[in-house]
């Protein structure tokens, strides 16, 4: 049986390589691709491109990955001083999210991907979450990645059903969250298209989470 083709968005960064310092690269952590492969998917990486429709026409699923902040002008806020943004990635991923909904392609939106999806459909973000016991100021990378806090999943939610519990311990590496979610759009979500024998008719499922995957994380 042919594996479903799952597109995963990438993060454009400047990294040191054997070809020189600060080389531009479209990157993706293995913690995104490895679970998709293990679940039976064939992964294709998606750097920003003008061919959004051509890409979506070939995909069976879409994973919007993590990365830098969405530019606040996308939801009517002011940019933060000292922050870097990638307008080309913002536009590409917003177009992917909207196009996937029109086509009925399942979407998993993780970390930044959840924020992109919220903005794509009219929602807004907290540019910087107020500091609390569980949301401390952004720290050094090692300390930030090691931080954890408890969460409680909504009773009857899909995540609670998947995990079989409402209580989890998750990482704490984000300084943004959803402020206002988008309003439902009745009639916009229709049956998905038939494409080759492996695709069945279905309705769009968009599942999002602010928790970023880490290779060293284990269920708790």
């Amino acid at each position: 049986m042919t594996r479903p083709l799952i597109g995963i968005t990438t993060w454009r960064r400047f990294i040191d390589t054997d070809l020189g310092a600060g080389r531009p690269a479209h990157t993706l952590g293995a913690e995104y691709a490895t679970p998709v492969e293990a679940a039976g998917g064939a992964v294709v990486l998606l750097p920003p491109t003008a061919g959004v429709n051509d890409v979506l026409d070939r995909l069976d699923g879409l994973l919007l990955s993590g990365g830098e902040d969405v530019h606040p002008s996308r939801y009517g806020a002011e940019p933060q001083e000292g922050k870097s943004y990638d307008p080309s990635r913002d536009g590409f991923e917003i177009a992917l999210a909207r196009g996937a909904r029109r086509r009925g392609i399942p979407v998993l939106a993780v970390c930044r991907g959840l924020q992109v999806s919220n903005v794509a459909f009219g929602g807004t973000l907290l540019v910087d979450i107020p500091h609390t016991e569980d949301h401390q100021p952004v720290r050094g990378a090692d300390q930030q990645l090691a931080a954890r806090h408890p969460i409680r999943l909504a009773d009857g939610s899909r995540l609670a059903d998947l995990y079989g519990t409402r209580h989890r311990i998750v990482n704490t590496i984000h300084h943004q969250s959803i402020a206002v979610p988008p309003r439902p759009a009745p009639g916009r979500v229709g049956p998905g298209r038939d494409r080759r024998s492996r695709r069945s008719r279905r309705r769009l499922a968009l599942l999002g989470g602010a928790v970023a995957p880490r290779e060293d994380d284990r269920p708790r």
Side-chain angles (χ1 to χ4, degrees):
M1 185 174 71
T2 304
R3 287 178 169 236
L5 193 64
I6 310 299
I8 308 180
T9 55
T10 58
W11 184 355
R12 187 171 185 264
R13 289 187 278 190
F14 296 89
I15 61 176
D16 296 341
T17 73
D18 291 340
L19 299 178
R23 299 283 297 178
H26 296 291
T27 67
L28 180 74
E31 63 269 19
Y32 286 97
T34 300
V36 173
E37 289 279 353
V43 171
V44 57
L45 303 189
L46 303 178
T49 175
V52 173
N53 290 326
D54 293 328
V55 168
L56 288 171
D57 285 344
R58 291 166 170 80
L59 294 182
D60 296 293
L62 173 66
L63 197 166
L64 297 172
S65 66
E68 68 277 85
D69 295 349
V70 177
H71 198 288
S73 64
R74 293 278 184 177
Y75 50 93
E78 294 295 323
Q80 288 184 280
E81 185 176 352
K83 280 282 183 182
S84 61
Y85 303 96
D86 187 345
S88 65
R89 184 182 180 188
D90 292 345
F92 175 61
E93 293 182 0
I94 286 171
L96 283 175
R98 291 172 176 169
R101 182 171 74 171
R102 287 193 299 269
R103 290 166 171 79
I105 297 173
V107 178
L108 177 61
V110 178
C111 184
R112 166 194 158 92
L114 173 64
Q115 298 162 3
V116 167
S117 299
N118 192 62
V119 171
F121 300 118
T124 62
L125 305 176
L126 287 174
V127 175
D128 196 37
I129 300 172
H131 301 157
T132 68
E133 181 180 354
D134 290 329
H135 289 283
Q136 300 294 321
V138 175
R139 295 154 284 188
D142 290 341
Q143 186 180 6
Q144 193 75 33
L145 291 174
R148 298 289 186 274
H149 73 270
I151 62 169
R152 185 173 62 187
L153 304 174
D155 190 24
S157 66
R158 183 170 297 183
L159 278 177
D161 290 343
L162 286 171
Y163 283 120
T165 179
R166 294 180 60 197
H167 300 279
R168 302 286 294 175
I169 301 295
V170 301
N171 53 42
T172 306
I173 64 175
H174 299 90
H175 78 106
Q176 293 191 320
S177 67
I178 289 176
V180 178
R183 294 181 178 180
R188 291 297 301 276
V189 179
R193 70 198 187 287
D194 282 326
R195 185 164 72 80
R196 299 185 292 275
S197 59
R198 71 174 183 270
R199 168 158 294 195
S200 60
R201 301 292 286 185
R202 58 185 157 197
R203 291 184 178 274
L204 168 68
L206 192 156
L207 182 64
V211 179
R214 303 299 307 168
E215 285 188 285
D216 57 351
D217 277 347
R218 296 292 183 270
R220 305 185 191 183

